[in-house]
């Protein structure tokens, strides 16, 4: 279906496997290559276990990805390492850029070569609400894929042919062509609960694009929402602009 080509986006799917990754491996729930002189992120926002957010709770590693394992246009020119952390508590009324009733997320772009003094024993969280917010340590196998948007984000004239193609190739009729699901860098977001929504950058108004998808699965033990996805969106014009998180 060549008409889909203009709507394609590159993405990398990460297939997790329980293991003991080291600081210099791409991983889910593994140790981070973190500078010894950089403060470890903490969360002081109110949550289910602390109405005033005290004491500050240490965040936990969610994912670490090296550029060598997932090359693509989503990388800033001066970065080759992406690290995502979250507070392992549910927050009912977080700042607007965070998702309600979910962990509070923070992430870092950095250059791995600049981490010369490494933090070997980061602080552990003093409280956490759900085991499903403490990812089990996994190595990842990266798969480069071509991703396409949800049908309703495509021009209406393509819908009949796409639906026919899905039924011909998907066996039970599920959409195996667009909305590739799982732990994913880049690509298009899944929209299995609501209609597609454009998220504007709060700094410049540009439509944000999907940076990373945290998926619910049995291997990592992560469950977000109702067995859904937590997605991080960023501004395509400037990675320094404020990011946005949603839960789906």
């Amino acid at each position: 279906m060549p008409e889909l080509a203009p709507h394609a986006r590159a993405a990398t799917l990460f297939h997790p496997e329980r293991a003991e990754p080291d600081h210099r491996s791409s991983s889910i729930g593994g140790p981070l290559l973190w500078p010894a002189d950089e403060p470890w992120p903490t969360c002081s926002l109110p949550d289910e276990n602390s109405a005033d957010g005290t004491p500050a709770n240490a965040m936990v590693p969610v994912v670490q990805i090296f550029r060598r394992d997932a090359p693509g246009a989503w990388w800033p020119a001066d970065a080759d390492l992406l690290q995502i952390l979250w507070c392992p508590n549910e927050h009912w009324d977080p700042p607007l850029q965070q998702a309600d009733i979910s962990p509070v997320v923070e992430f870092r772009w950095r250059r791995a070569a600049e981490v010369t003094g490494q933090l070997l024993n980061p602080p552990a969280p003093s409280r956490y609400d759900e085991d499903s917010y403490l990812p089990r340590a996994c190595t990842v196998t990266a798969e480069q894929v071509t991703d396409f948007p949800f049908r309703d984000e495509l021009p209406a004239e393509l819908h009949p042919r796409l639906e026919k193609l899905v039924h011909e190739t998907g066996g039970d009729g599920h959409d195996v062509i667009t909305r590739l699901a799982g732990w994913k860098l880049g690509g298009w977001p899944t929209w299995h609960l609501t209609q597609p929504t454009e998220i504007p950058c709060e700094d410049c108004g540009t439509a944000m694009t999907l940076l990373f998808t945290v998926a619910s699965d049995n291997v990592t033990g992560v469950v977000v929402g109702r067995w859904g996805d937590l997605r991080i969106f960023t501004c395509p014009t400037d990675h320094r602009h404020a990011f946005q998180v949603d839960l789906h």
Side-chain angles (χ1 to χ4, degrees), residues 141-176:
T141 300
E143 177 188 5
Q144 273 68 51
V145 297
T146 301
D147 204 8
F148 296 95
F150 178 49
R151 183 193 65 185
D152 290 356
E153 294 181 270
L154 292 166
E157 61 268 21
L158 300 184
H159 294 182
R161 282 201 60 202
L162 178 60
E163 185 174 347
K164 181 174 183 292
L165 189 60
V166 166
H167 281 280
E168 290 174 349
T169 59
D172 57 1
H174 288 303
D175 188 348
V176 295

Side-chain angles (χ1 to χ4, degrees), residues 11 27-28 57 69 86 100 108-109 112 150-151 159 186 196 224 246:
S27 65
I28 293 171
N57 198 32
D69 296 321
W86 66 27
D100 289 337
R108 297 283 194 278
W109 296 110
F150 178 49
R151 183 193 65 185
H159 294 182
V224 287
D246 85 339

Side-chain angles (χ1 to χ4, degrees), residues 8-24:
R9 285 183 184 173
T12 301
L13 288 174
F14 299 100
H15 305 286
E17 182 177 351
R18 291 293 304 279
E20 294 297 331
D22 61 28
H23 295 77
R24 295 189 176 275

Side-chain angles (χ1 to χ4, degrees), residues 213-233:
T213 301
V214 174
S216 299
D217 73 298
N218 288 321
V219 178
T220 66
V222 169
V223 179
V224 287
R226 297 180 179 179
W227 201 262
D229 296 330
L230 183 147
R231 293 95 61 89
I232 302 172
F233 293 84

Side-chain angles (χ1 to χ4, degrees), residues 112-131:
E114 294 178 356
V115 183
T116 54
Q118 182 176 316
L119 180 65
L120 298 177
N121 296 297
S126 56
R127 61 182 188 277
Y128 53 90
D129 183 56
E130 297 284 350
D131 288 343

Side-chain angles (χ1 to χ4, degrees), residues 68-202:
R68 63 176 182 264
D69 296 321
W74 42 75
W75 290 95
D78 59 348
D80 60 5
L81 177 59
L82 171 64
Q83 297 170 324
I84 300 173
L85 308 90
W86 66 27
C87 174
N89 286 313
E90 287 190 340
H91 297 74
W92 289 79
D93 190 23
L96 288 177
Q97 77 179 100
Q98 302 283 350
D100 289 337
I101 319 177
S102 76
V104 166
V105 173
E106 190 163 331
F107 72 90
R108 297 283 194 278
W109 296 110
R110 65 173 83 249
R111 290 189 63 83
E114 294 178 356
V115 183
T116 54
Q118 182 176 316
L119 180 65
L120 298 177
N121 296 297
S126 56
R127 61 182 188 277
Y128 53 90
D129 183 56
E130 297 284 350
D131 288 343
S132 56
Y133 297 152
L134 299 176
R136 299 169 186 153
C138 294
T139 55
V140 292
T141 300
E143 177 188 5
Q144 273 68 51
V145 297
T146 301
D147 204 8
F148 296 95
F150 178 49
R151 183 193 65 185
D152 290 356
E153 294 181 270
L154 292 166
E157 61 268 21
L158 300 184
H159 294 182
R161 282 201 60 202
L162 178 60
E163 185 174 347
K164 181 174 183 292
L165 189 60
V166 166
H167 281 280
E168 290 174 349
T169 59
D172 57 1
H174 288 303
D175 188 348
V176 295
I177 297 169
T178 69
R179 300 180 297 155
L180 293 176
W183 292 77
K184 182 170 68 174
L185 181 61
W188 288 91
T190 59
W191 296 106
H192 51 274
L193 293 179
T194 65
Q195 291 299 309
T197 302
E198 184 175 286
I199 301 175
C201 173
E202 294 180 358

